[in-house]
């Protein structure tokens, strides 16, 4: 089957799948104090998630991103990756993680044929890392990154800069791409949940600082992933620098995704609370109904988000961990 298009002619071939709301870190813009975890019976089983992915493949989804929370704390995560990799027509299965558990799972991820890993890492300063995440886990994250490199699994670093916290750490983070085959991406703070309380740093400002530090840069023309990042190449660097600019570089015209939460909510757009529940359909054992609902979510995709406009227009009230990173 050819890829499904939404009402605006965008080809929707990518689904981000959250498999757990919990995490072993406590980044405040993602998991604030007092957040309530979901009871286990509310979360889809691994078999249910794989079943939804199977029906998604049947209607044109070709790429799956496993997210959380922290997906590696979900028991059976490796088995789920194996199940999804085994689905005909699924071309890529990738993983987003904080990296602290990667060293233990890198070999298995390689064996299962994982196509790429994104590691969320906002600083290389141990004290700042502990302040941002709530834990002294930088060494574990760096060890995990090194282990993934050994198996030559394509690797990206995702960094969110916060004004007054780690806004100048872009330099050390960017340097990771200099001598290593790693792409480093700067992501503007999403105004979702407690993320609204943090001041976004424009990627335009970061680009200007990079150019001031390194001189002229080259725009990368080829696609380096499934998402909305734009990339530059700094002469002499092995890796590239990417920017995901939801606030100052709206990219909705090229959106190719839908999102599945750990509870089975299918979200056409991160910005709005609108969703379609797949839980009843998948637990009722109706593949046709799951496909119908997947197509309905694609048909309900809005023209674009409103993150760059009045925040009162943002109707999504859940935290990022509850939606899926």
């Amino acid at each position: 089957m050819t890829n499904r298009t939404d009402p605006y002619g965008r080809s929707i071939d990518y689904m981000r799948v959250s498999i757990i709301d919990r995490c072993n870190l406590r980044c405040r813009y993602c998991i604030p104090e007092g957040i309530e975890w979901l009871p286990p019976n509310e979360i889809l089983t691994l078999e249910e998630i794989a079943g939804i992915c199977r029906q998604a493949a049947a209607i044109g989804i070709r790429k799956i991103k496993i997210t959380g929370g922290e997906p590696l704390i979900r028991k059976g995560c490796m088995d789920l990756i194996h199940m999804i990799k085994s689905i005909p027509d699924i071309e890529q299965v990738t993983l987003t993680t904080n990296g602290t558990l990667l060293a233990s799972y890198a070999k298995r991820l390689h064996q299962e044929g994982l196509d790429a890993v994104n590691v969320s890492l906002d600083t290389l300063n141990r004290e700042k890392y502990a302040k941002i995440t709530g834990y002294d886990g930088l060494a574990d994250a760096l060890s995990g990154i090194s282990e993934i490199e050994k198996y030559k699994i394509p690797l990206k670093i995702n960094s969110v800069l916060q004004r007054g916290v780690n806004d100048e750490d872009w330099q050390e983070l960017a340097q990771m791409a200099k001598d290593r085959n790693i792409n480093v991406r700067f992501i503007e703070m999403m105004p979702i949940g407690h993320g609204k309380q943090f001041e976004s740093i424009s990627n335009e400002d970061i680009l200007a600082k990079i150019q001031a530090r390194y001189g002229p840069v080259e725009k990368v023309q080829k696609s380096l992933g499934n998402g909305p990042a734009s990339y530059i190449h700094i002469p002499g660097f092995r890796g590239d620098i990417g920017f995901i600019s939801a606030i100052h570089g709206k990219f909705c015209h090229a959106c190719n995704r839908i999102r599945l939460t750990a509870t089975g909510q299918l979200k056409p757009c991160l910005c709005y609370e609108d969703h379609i529940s797949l839980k009843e359909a998948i637990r009722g054992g109706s593949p046709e109904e799951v496909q119908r609902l997947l197509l309905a979510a694609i048909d309900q995709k809005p023209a674009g988000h409103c993150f760059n406009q009045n925040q009162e227009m943002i109707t999504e009230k859940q935290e990022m961990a509850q939606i899926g990173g």
Side-chain angles (χ1 to χ4, degrees):
M1 180 175 180
T2 58
N3 292 345
R4 178 74 175 191
T5 58
D6 72 3
Y8 302 94
R10 297 170 297 198
S11 179
I12 310 303
D13 63 352
Y14 177 33
M15 185 165 72
R16 297 178 66 92
V17 178
S18 174
I19 67 172
I20 192 168
D21 61 326
R22 305 187 183 214
C23 185
N24 57 337
L25 302 182
R26 292 293 181 274
C27 300
R28 299 304 173 219
Y29 57 80
C30 183
I31 304 179
E33 295 287 350
I35 191 172
E36 294 185 6
W37 303 122
L38 293 166
N41 65 322
E42 289 295 322
I43 295 177
L44 297 178
T45 67
L46 300 180
E47 291 74 18
E48 288 167 348
I49 294 171
I52 291 172
C53 290
R54 192 171 297 111
Q55 300 313 316
I59 60 101
I61 297 296
R62 297 290 174 260
K63 304 152 190 173
I64 300 291
K65 170 78 73 180
I66 304 297
T67 73
E70 171 47 52
L72 291 179
I73 68 173
R74 174 80 188 258
K75 185 177 180 181
C77 180
M78 300 299 107
D79 297 327
L80 176 63
I81 291 172
H82 176 82
M83 285 188 278
I84 299 175
K85 283 289 294 184
S86 301
I87 297 172
D89 293 327
I90 292 295
E91 299 171 359
Q92 290 184 17
V93 179
T94 59
L95 175 77
T96 290
T97 171
N98 61 40
T100 57
L101 302 175
L102 266 180
S104 300
Y105 289 105
K107 182 177 180 179
R108 178 77 185 276
L109 290 169
H110 172 68
Q111 291 171 340
E112 297 299 347
L114 188 75
D115 294 287
V117 175
N118 292 357
V119 176
S120 300
L121 182 67
D122 295 345
T123 181
L124 293 177
N125 179 286
R126 181 178 175 182
E127 292 183 1
K128 289 183 183 180
Y129 184 95
K131 179 179 179 181
I132 292 169
T133 67
Y135 290 91
D136 183 12
L138 178 60
D140 292 334
L142 295 178
S143 176
I145 290 169
S146 296
E147 200 66 20
I148 287 294
E149 286 183 286
K150 291 180 184 178
Y151 289 99
K152 295 181 170 53
I153 300 174
L155 179 64
K156 296 185 179 79
I157 302 298
N158 290 339
S159 299
V160 178
L161 301 182
Q162 303 174 50
R163 197 170 301 282
V165 178
N166 63 333
D167 42 349
E168 292 304 320
D169 290 41
W170 66 267
Q171 298 182 70
E172 284 190 306
L173 291 163
Q175 282 290 122
M176 294 184 74
K178 186 175 189 301
D179 301 314
R180 305 164 75 172
N181 191 25
I182 294 176
N183 293 334
V184 176
R185 310 192 300 180
F186 296 102
I187 303 177
E188 291 183 345
M189 179 74 70
M190 292 285 187
I192 291 291
H194 271 61
K196 294 180 180 179
Q197 300 181 12
F198 298 87
E199 184 179 357
S200 174
I201 296 178
S202 169
N203 275 340
E204 295 173 350
D205 293 342
I206 299 172
L207 175 58
K209 290 180 178 180
I210 288 174
Q211 291 173 317
R213 168 70 174 80
Y214 296 104
V217 298
E218 305 162 5
K219 185 175 181 179
V220 177
Q221 301 297 334
K222 65 179 180 178
S223 174
L224 298 180
N226 301 321
S230 60
Y231 289 88
I232 60 168
H233 179 71
I234 301 172
F237 275 49
R238 289 184 63 192
D240 294 316
I241 305 298
F243 302 96
I244 299 178
S245 310
I247 312 301
H248 299 95
K250 192 171 180 178
F251 42 73
C252 297
H253 67 283
C255 185
N256 64 339
R257 71 192 58 193
I258 51 178
R259 292 172 178 264
L260 180 70
T261 73
T263 58
Q265 292 181 0
L266 195 63
K267 291 185 60 61
C269 180
L270 180 62
C271 185
Y272 307 106
E273 66 179 351
D274 301 340
H275 66 271
I276 292 175
S277 178
L278 295 183
K279 185 185 295 182
E280 185 175 338
I282 193 65
R283 291 187 173 174
S286 173
E288 295 80 12
E289 180 65 3
V290 172
Q291 287 188 31
R292 186 189 71 79
L293 294 173
L294 284 160
L295 291 171
I298 292 174
D299 288 339
Q300 290 178 22
K301 277 185 68 65
H305 66 64
C306 60
F307 291 143
N308 57 330
Q309 301 172 40
N310 189 332
Q311 288 200 2
E312 293 181 0
M313 298 172 63
I314 303 172
T315 57
E316 180 55 74
K317 300 297 189 297
Q318 296 182 94
E319 302 294 342
M320 279 299 297
Q322 296 169 319
I323 302 169

